Amino acid sequence: MIGAIAGDIIGSRFEGHPSPPDGFDLFQADCGFTDDTVCTLAIAHALLEGEDFGVSLRRFVRRYPHAGYGGMFIRWAMNDDLPAYGSWGNGAPMRGSAVGWLARDEDEVLRLGAAQAAVSHDHPDAMAAAQAVALSVYLLRHGTSAEVVRNRMSSQFGYSLAPEVAFRQGGFDVSSRGTMPPALAAALSAPDWESAVRKVIVLGGDTDTLACIAGAVAEAVHGVPDDIADTARAHLTEDLVEVLERFEDRLLGQS
Ligand SMILES: [Mg+2]
């Protein structure tokens, strides 16, 4: 899950800006965690404590209300009574990687993947994308090859992961359906974690979320280099680190 967080932090300073050149510095002073990290940790916390996904999301968002949420989502999060609002946005998959690390089998991955999305993003595209991120992480961390995962993502979710389709540049696409192909294609083809994250960030657009998802999935194949993980962790607040540590302890306990 630190792969999702590090991707978010590295991508944060390029969101909505022109694509950076290859070889950009991974971390600079203006990097910081955004909504992707806050929501990822909120879902992890809910899984660890058996808490309702909506309750956990709302609490974390209210603690960090200026992390860059979409307008509909922040309205939902600030109001206890609003139902899910039909969003197809990439906010559902970006927060879903912990499901892939903590679920015990594929059925649970798909069930929890959809459930964490559905509290706010109950459009079929968003729920499918949340399942796809979680399933990719789950399969890869259990040793399934990137090639097999790529085929599953195409056949089961309909994503076109061929480079010439997935890596089209330009535009700011916050849809689940538009975000998943480049993020998955990068994670499943890169030789290492850093290359996957760099690949999606130079595409431009919603760079923190692209890098969050690519970083989450690439971590399940390659891990995250220690220096990058340590730097990302240093960007978090104490209470967010505490969630990350509880998550890592749980994973250690599982293995
Ligand atoms: Mg963000």
Side-chain angles (χ1 to χ4, degrees):
M1 190 170 60
I2 189 67
I5 293 166
D8 173 41
I9 293 168
I10 293 167
S12 63
R13 71 190 172 99
F14 303 112
E15 184 182 12
H17 293 282
S19 317
D22 288 335
F24 62 86
D25 290 341
L26 290 180
F27 294 99
Q28 280 201 352
D30 52 346
C31 284
F33 70 83
T34 79
D35 53 339
D36 306 59
T37 290
V38 175
C39 294
T40 292
L41 289 166
I43 295 303
H45 173 83
L47 292 165
L48 290 169
E49 304 305 324
E51 189 172 57
D52 178 85
F53 292 121
V55 169
S56 186
L57 277 169
R58 284 183 163 110
R59 197 172 57 253
F60 277 73
V61 169
R62 290 172 193 187
R63 211 182 287 160
Y64 297 97
H66 304 297
Y69 312 94
M72 296 278 282
F73 180 74
I74 191 81
R75 203 167 78 88
W76 172 87
M78 291 300 176
N79 187 321
D80 285 338
D81 302 321
L82 286 182
Y85 50 94
S87 175
W88 37 253
N90 57 19
M94 81 187 187
R95 70 192 189 209
S97 51
V99 171
W101 291 101
L102 295 175
R104 284 160 301 191
D105 55 46
E106 277 192 39
D107 286 346
E108 196 173 56
V109 168
L110 296 176
R111 183 172 59 76
L112 293 174
Q116 72 79 4
V119 295
S120 56
H121 293 56
D122 57 341
H123 187 284
D125 285 359
M127 293 195 291
Q131 289 179 316
V133 168
L135 184 60
S136 296
V137 169
Y138 177 84
L139 292 172
L140 292 163
R141 83 184 195 86
H142 287 290
T144 307
S145 73
E147 187 58 44
V148 169
V149 174
R150 198 175 7 241
N151 291 337
R152 283 285 294 274
M153 292 299 113
S154 298
S155 61
Q156 195 167 337
F157 297 95
Y159 299 132
S160 300
L161 302 187
E164 64 276 15
V165 182
F167 295 137
R168 273 190 305 238
Q169 221 162 342
F172 194 94
D173 189 347
V174 298
S175 72
S176 286
R177 189 148 277 284
T179 303
M180 293 301 291
L184 286 174
L188 295 171
S189 64
D192 52 56
W193 187 89
E194 183 177 330
S195 306
V197 165
R198 287 185 175 280
K199 178 81 190 173
V200 289
I201 287 179
V202 297
L203 295 175
D206 195 2
T207 48
D208 54 339
T209 297
L210 283 166
C212 172
I213 296 172
V217 176
E219 179 185 5
V221 196
H222 301 292
V224 180
D226 285 345
D227 56 332
I228 294 176
D230 291 346
T231 307
R233 193 182 278 266
H235 278 78
L236 297 179
T237 56
E238 222 170 280
D239 62 311
L240 294 181
V241 168
E242 187 273 327
V243 180
L244 182 59
E245 285 175 351
R246 256 189 295 132
F247 168 84
E248 289 168 345
D249 287 348
R250 176 72 65 89
L251 275 189
L252 281 176
Q254 275 181 4
S255 59

